[in-house]
Amino acid sequence: MFARLALCSRLPSRIRQSNACPVSIRAFSQAKFSLPRPHGKSFAHRSELKQAKRIVVKLGSAVVTRGDECGLALGRLASIVEQVAVLQNQGREMMIVTSGAVAFGKQRLRHEILLSQSVRQALHSGQNQLKEMSVPVLEARACAAAGQSGLMALYEAMFTQYSTCTAQILVTNLDFHDEQKRRNLNSTLHELLRMNIVPIINTNDAVVPPPVPNSDLQGVISIKDNDSLAARLAVEMKADLLIALSDVEGLYDSPPGTDDAKLIDIFYPGDQQSVKYGTKSRVGIGGMEAKVKAALWALQGGTSVVIANGTHPKVTGHVIADIVEGKKVGTFFSEVKPAGPTVEQQTEMARNAGRTLASLHPEQRAEIICCLAELLTEKKDEILSANRRDMELASASGLFSQPLINRLSLSTAKLNSLAIGLRQLSVSSRDSVGRVLRRTRVANNLELEQITVPIGVLLVIFESRPDCLPQVSALAIASGNALLLKGGKEAANTNRILHQLTQEALSIHGVADAIQLVSTREEVEDLCRLDKMIDLIIPRGSSQLVRDIQRAAKGIPVLGHSEGVCHVYIDSEASIDKAIDVVRDSKCDYPAACNAMETLLIHRDLLRTPIFDQIIDMLRTEHVKIHAGPRFASYLTFSPSEVKSLRTEYGDLECCIEVVDSMQDAVDHIHKYGSSHTDVIITENEDIAEQFLQQVDSACVFWNSSSRFADGYRFGLGAEVGISTARIHARGPVGLEGLLTTKWVLRGEGHTVADFSEQGSMKYLHENIPVPQGSFN
């Protein structure tokens, strides 16, 4: 077997194919050869990786082999094969550069040696008792020779499950330095790709000599390992993307596992001096420094590169697909360095400035908020001009619904209202950070305080509504929190000027960096993965946006509501005037708002009565489209269109009408189909109203008042970051209080827990100490 493999290795490039893919070597050598492309242009941003047509996937030794370095990690390999096959079947051209022959051969040779030793011992001893056997150190080239055929057979069997054909190519450094061999290799690979075959390439480790240090030719990378092989192949084949999978998350600025080591999201040529390399992986021969060198060479040749972890059990099953989708995975190598800071740098800047903001005197934070309120009115012409540009672009694009465009609109009245709310908030901000909530005398000369403190770094992601930016910014300032803002591109111009005004206000006390506007191409899902940098995510927008963020958030709490399915229930003892006024305001005042009525519940006794007719006439006058619930439709001969779902948030001049038998029936309906946002009862019966208020499990429950009152400004909170339907931390309109947490401060004089043991001299008192109103730490 070894002689046969040695003979095969003398060929410049050994090509094997499955029986299902009979391709002649002569056809490869006679195929038209295309010269290596000149230095092309790699992708500048991750989002462009979706356009990658030709992709090289490099599997490092640590990815392919088991932890004991003897045998292959079959489950991990199978998931990688599945991803490659799926991308191949999508019409992309996939190539694999793989390690693993040595590990696979080591497993086979160990098995053969142990088996032969056991047979010899049994023959010589004449007994079944075997002595302890030892396995000699195996030479790597012999292991590679023994493992190549088995490794390829495994790949072939796995890819066959996806109706994907493979072919094996073994290469050495000479195959690239010899012009004729290089041409043959190039034409072979092009022909395989043309025939929709996945080439599986490896260095011919059975004959390859040891790597020579610093042996790179001028402008050419030598093949010392599979990293350099993958880079050389990617450039030779004009690949769009090289994905190098290893056993680390990507490139760190210092060795992974060391203190303060940070994963580098995007690496640019010239950044090498900022990186301190560690040791190589447990089984590879290259190490991270070799990977970076190969990646930069490929990048210079026009191939984009991503280095990522191919061994993590939670991500291996989709790591390649995620990279091709442009998600923030591993380290992306780019030649285009953005003018501004990265989002990670913005977060760090915000956190540092946020700590200074939190340490300001309450009067100073209030002064910043008042300054922002003044700027909103002083600069209203500039703000409205930017907003008109956004409105025009959104309407012309045809990509946005009318409710979304309505939310985008600003007016003088809105800006004045915002300014009033901010001034109101500035007053309450004086009683926020550092407020003493409780004080306890634990023991003599040992006092404990619970005080309010900022949460940390907030990430607020919002769609359309630019008025959200100054509201949320003012709340962050009042609560001493750092803030990252990610607005929709449809409001880019308005958001930009509002953020500039916010930073202008912050600068009066030197904390302009505390609030950052993310304007890079960061995807929302990528931002939700910054769990070590962001403490709370607050989404403001459509129910789909909120659901997407709740799904994407990795270890970061999300504050918000996914839907605003608000109900108004008209009881049999309702006042006709109150009913008409409340329903009109709840639905028609601002239909796009999350606190607008979406379902009108009517007591069965009111059908075919004047109150019912007047409500229907009012809705028609206001051009509200009515959808009939199942029970309501059953009462009508010619009913409006029947509702598709009783859980619909229309966000427009539309609503559902449904019939219920009683107040309890209305409560049950709300609990089944509502979103725990805001629900209203209209009745003159106080007992019925109180039962409704007590039983409905929503963040806001109202009696004879519009659902539109569910708002931080209208509640006197000054502003709100949103409405929460959660049951932990904050619920309902979330204002200043919802952005604070607490910490415990203990003041002693050398106290120890041992002092309070049975043998100790001290006793716990746990006496509550009165806290004067407005007491601050």
Side-chain angles (χ1 to χ4, degrees):
M1 177 179 68
F2 294 132
R4 186 165 66 249
L5 286 171
L7 177 64
C8 293
S9 68
R10 296 191 190 107
L11 295 174
S13 57
R14 174 65 178 167
I15 303 162
R16 297 183 184 176
Q17 311 119 33
S18 71
N19 293 333
C21 303
V23 183
S24 70
I25 298 177
R26 181 179 300 174
F28 292 155
S29 62
Q30 292 176 349
K32 184 178 180 182
F33 171 74
S34 57
L35 291 171
R37 66 174 176 180
H39 291 168
K41 190 174 181 181
S42 59
F43 295 123
H45 306 283
R46 283 184 186 268
S47 58
E48 297 171 351
L49 296 181
K50 297 176 183 178
Q51 305 169 25
K53 169 73 173 177
R54 184 171 292 174
I55 302 172
V56 176
V57 178
K58 182 263 174 180
L59 306 180
S61 301
V63 176
V64 177
T65 60
R66 297 200 311 241
D68 60 5
E69 304 176 22
C70 184
L72 303 181
L74 296 179
R76 191 184 302 149
L77 202 56
S79 67
I80 290 172
V81 165
E82 180 179 14
Q83 294 172 79
V84 172
V86 169
L87 291 172
Q88 178 82 3
N89 291 333
Q90 288 176 355
R92 304 180 196 268
E93 297 174 341
M94 305 298 296
M95 293 179 280
I96 294 178
V97 175
T98 182
S99 302
V102 173
F104 196 72
K106 185 184 293 185
Q107 182 186 39
R108 292 181 64 183
L109 292 182
R110 280 184 176 180
H111 178 76
E112 292 293 335
I113 291 170
L114 291 174
L115 183 62
S116 63
Q117 284 182 355
S118 64
V119 171
R120 283 199 303 271
Q121 287 187 24
L123 290 174
H124 283 89
S125 65
Q127 301 174 357
N128 290 329
Q129 296 179 351
L130 302 179
K131 298 178 182 179
E132 184 177 348
M133 295 175 288
S134 62
V135 178
V137 177
L138 298 173
E139 206 272 330
R141 293 192 188 92
C143 292
Q148 283 289 0
S149 60
L151 178 64
M152 188 58 204
L154 182 63
Y155 273 119
E156 189 174 303
M158 288 182 172
F159 273 105
T160 300
Q161 303 302 312
Y162 304 96
S163 303
T164 302
C165 198
T166 60
Q168 182 185 22
I169 300 180
L170 300 179
V171 298
T172 67
N173 212 9
L174 295 176
D175 295 323
F176 291 94
H177 288 184
D178 184 283
E179 184 65 21
Q180 186 57 49
K181 291 179 179 180
R182 189 167 65 86
R183 291 188 177 190
N184 289 344
L185 173 62
N186 191 298
S187 70
T188 296
L189 288 168
H190 274 92
E191 184 67 11
L192 290 173
L193 294 177
R194 186 186 68 79
M195 298 179 68
N196 202 31
I197 296 172
V198 177
I200 298 178
I201 307 118
N202 195 1
T203 53
N204 194 348
D205 294 327
V207 298
V208 70
V212 179
N214 302 319
S215 61
D216 291 349
L217 301 177
Q218 181 68 31
V220 179
I221 189 168
S222 296
I223 308 302
K224 304 184 185 71
D225 49 47
N226 276 344
D227 294 311
S228 51
L229 169 60
R232 186 68 187 268
L233 273 171
V235 174
E236 288 280 344
M237 295 300 295
K238 302 181 182 178
D240 302 308
L241 173 62
L242 167 59
I243 300 174
L245 298 183
S246 182
D247 57 351
V248 291
E249 302 300 321
L251 176 61
Y252 287 78
D253 57 3
S254 56
T258 59
D259 292 341
D260 300 324
K262 294 181 180 178
L263 179 65
I264 299 173
D265 172 38
I266 305 178
F267 189 80
Y268 306 97
D271 286 353
Q272 295 95 315
Q273 301 303 318
S274 63
V275 177
K276 180 181 178 181
Y277 297 103
T279 58
K280 68 182 184 67
S281 69
R282 57 181 172 80
V283 288
I285 63 173
M288 185 53 74
E289 189 169 6
K291 289 177 175 57
V292 172
K293 183 177 181 181
L296 290 175
W297 191 87
L299 187 67
Q300 186 183 15
T303 297
S304 295
V305 183
V306 175
I307 297 177
N309 193 338
T311 64
H312 197 295
K314 292 186 177 180
V315 300
T316 301
H318 49 81
V319 60
I320 298 173
D322 285 351
I323 290 170
V324 176
E325 280 295 309
K327 295 181 180 178
K328 186 176 283 189
V329 179
T331 300
F332 173 61
F333 286 72
S334 174
E335 293 185 297
V336 180
K337 199 163 189 174
T342 66
V343 68
E344 289 83 3
Q345 291 169 333
Q346 283 187 288
T347 307
E348 194 66 33
M349 292 161 59
R351 184 182 290 279
N352 292 335
R355 290 184 176 128
T356 305
L357 174 67
S359 68
L360 294 178
H361 192 276
E363 293 292 338
Q364 292 174 304
R365 288 194 296 272
E367 188 180 352
I368 294 172
I369 298 170
C370 286
C371 178
L372 178 57
E374 294 298 326
L375 288 171
L376 289 179
T377 53
E378 288 177 11
K379 305 288 186 178
K380 65 180 180 182
D381 292 339
E382 296 175 39
I383 297 170
L384 295 176
S385 175
N387 186 245
R388 280 193 294 273
R389 286 199 300 274
D390 287 330
M391 294 280 289
E392 290 166 2
L393 291 171
S395 299
S397 71
L399 300 175
F400 304 102
S401 64
Q402 192 57 47
L404 204 67
I405 294 176
N406 293 342
R407 289 174 180 167
L408 177 60
S409 174
L410 285 181
S411 63
T412 301
K414 268 191 180 181
L415 291 176
N416 291 336
S417 178
L418 274 172
I420 293 170
L422 297 193
R423 293 188 186 97
Q424 188 180 43
L425 178 63
S426 70
V427 176
S428 59
S429 70
R430 295 174 171 85
D431 185 24
S432 56
V433 181
R435 180 161 47 91
V436 179
L437 299 178
R438 64 182 290 179
R439 185 174 288 152
T440 304
R441 182 176 291 107
V442 179
N444 289 331
N445 298 319
L446 186 64
E447 290 191 1
L448 177 70
E449 284 183 343
Q450 184 186 21
I451 62 173
T452 57
V453 294
I455 290 174
V457 179
L458 313 177
L459 168 61
V460 177
I461 302 170
F462 57 101
E463 289 177 325
S464 290
R465 296 179 57 177
D467 55 326
C468 169
L469 194 151
Q471 278 188 343
V472 173
S473 297
L475 282 166
I477 295 165
S479 57
N481 284 291
L483 176 62
L484 252 68
L485 293 158
K486 174 66 173 175
K489 61 183 179 181
E490 66 279 0
N493 293 301
T494 315
N495 288 338
R496 190 179 302 111
I497 187 170
L498 289 173
H499 178 249
Q500 289 170 357
L501 297 178
T502 301
Q503 289 201 309
E504 183 178 338
L506 286 164
S507 65
I508 65 175
H509 288 296
V511 287
D513 287 342
I515 296 179
Q516 299 283 330
L517 180 65
V518 179
S519 55
T520 60
R521 296 191 179 197
E522 300 295 326
E523 296 291 338
V524 168
E525 187 173 341
D526 293 331
L527 291 171
C528 291
R529 292 177 178 175
L530 300 176
D531 57 303
K532 294 181 181 178
M533 309 181 79
I534 293 170
D535 300 297
L536 179 66
I537 301 175
I538 304 172
R540 295 197 61 175
S542 67
S543 58
Q544 187 60 50
L545 171 73
V546 179
R547 283 194 295 269
D548 289 344
I549 291 172
Q550 289 172 335
R551 237 186 337 261
K554 306 294 183 183
I556 310 176
V558 177
L559 182 71
H561 65 281
S562 58
E563 292 174 309
V565 183
C566 303
H567 296 76
V568 174
Y569 164 57
I570 303 178
D571 185 56
S572 59
E573 299 182 50
S575 158
I576 186 169
D577 292 333
K578 291 177 184 177
I580 291 173
D581 290 343
V582 169
V583 170
R584 178 191 287 114
D585 192 74
S586 296
K587 180 70 259 185
C588 306
D589 176 66
Y590 188 19
C594 64
N595 57 11
M597 181 194 79
E598 304 295 2
T599 298
L600 176 62
L601 300 176
I602 298 179
H603 194 285
R604 181 185 57 186
D605 294 346
L606 296 180
L607 292 178
R608 300 185 179 88
T609 65
I611 186 172
F612 173 78
D613 294 338
Q614 290 183 46
I615 290 171
I616 297 298
D617 289 343
M618 179 273 295
L619 291 174
R620 286 174 176 165
T621 301
E622 297 289 344
H623 306 290
V624 177
K625 183 178 180 180
I626 296 173
H627 302 276
R631 287 199 63 190
F632 181 45
S634 68
Y635 285 98
L636 304 174
T637 306
F638 300 102
S639 69
S641 62
E642 190 166 340
V643 69
K644 294 179 180 179
S645 170
L646 291 168
R647 293 188 177 92
T648 302
E649 181 179 13
Y650 298 100
D652 206 347
L653 284 173
E654 297 181 60
C655 75
C656 168
I657 296 180
E658 183 58 309
V659 175
V660 292
D661 293 331
S662 63
M663 181 275 295
Q664 189 59 54
D665 196 16
V667 171
D668 292 342
H669 179 102
I670 290 169
H671 287 165
K672 185 173 182 180
Y673 299 108
S675 60
S676 302
H677 192 296
T678 301
D679 298 292
V680 178
I681 183 172
I682 305 174
T683 185
E684 297 302 298
N685 188 317
E686 185 175 352
D687 291 338
I688 291 291
E690 288 300 329
Q691 290 179 47
F692 184 90
L693 297 177
Q694 294 298 320
Q695 291 184 34
V696 172
D697 185 20
S698 295
C700 302
V701 190
F702 301 160
W703 174 23
N704 287 346
S705 49
S706 169
S707 62
R708 293 277 291 121
F709 279 105
D711 175 82
Y713 167 68
R714 298 183 180 105
F715 278 10
L717 305 180
E720 65 175 34
V721 293
I723 295 180
S724 171
T725 55
R727 288 168 171 77
I728 297 176
H729 176 63
R731 201 169 191 220
V734 180
L736 180 58
E737 293 291 330
L739 298 182
L740 296 171
T741 185
T742 64
K743 72 176 178 182
W744 298 88
V745 177
L746 186 65
R747 295 180 176 87
E749 296 182 358
H751 292 75
T752 67
V753 171
D755 294 334
F756 296 87
S757 65
E758 291 184 3
Q759 293 77 28
S761 59
M762 302 195 73
K763 301 293 183 184
Y764 288 111
L765 299 177
H766 293 147
E767 297 174 350
N768 289 329
I769 302 173
V771 178
Q773 183 71 25
S775 180
F776 280 81
N777 178 276

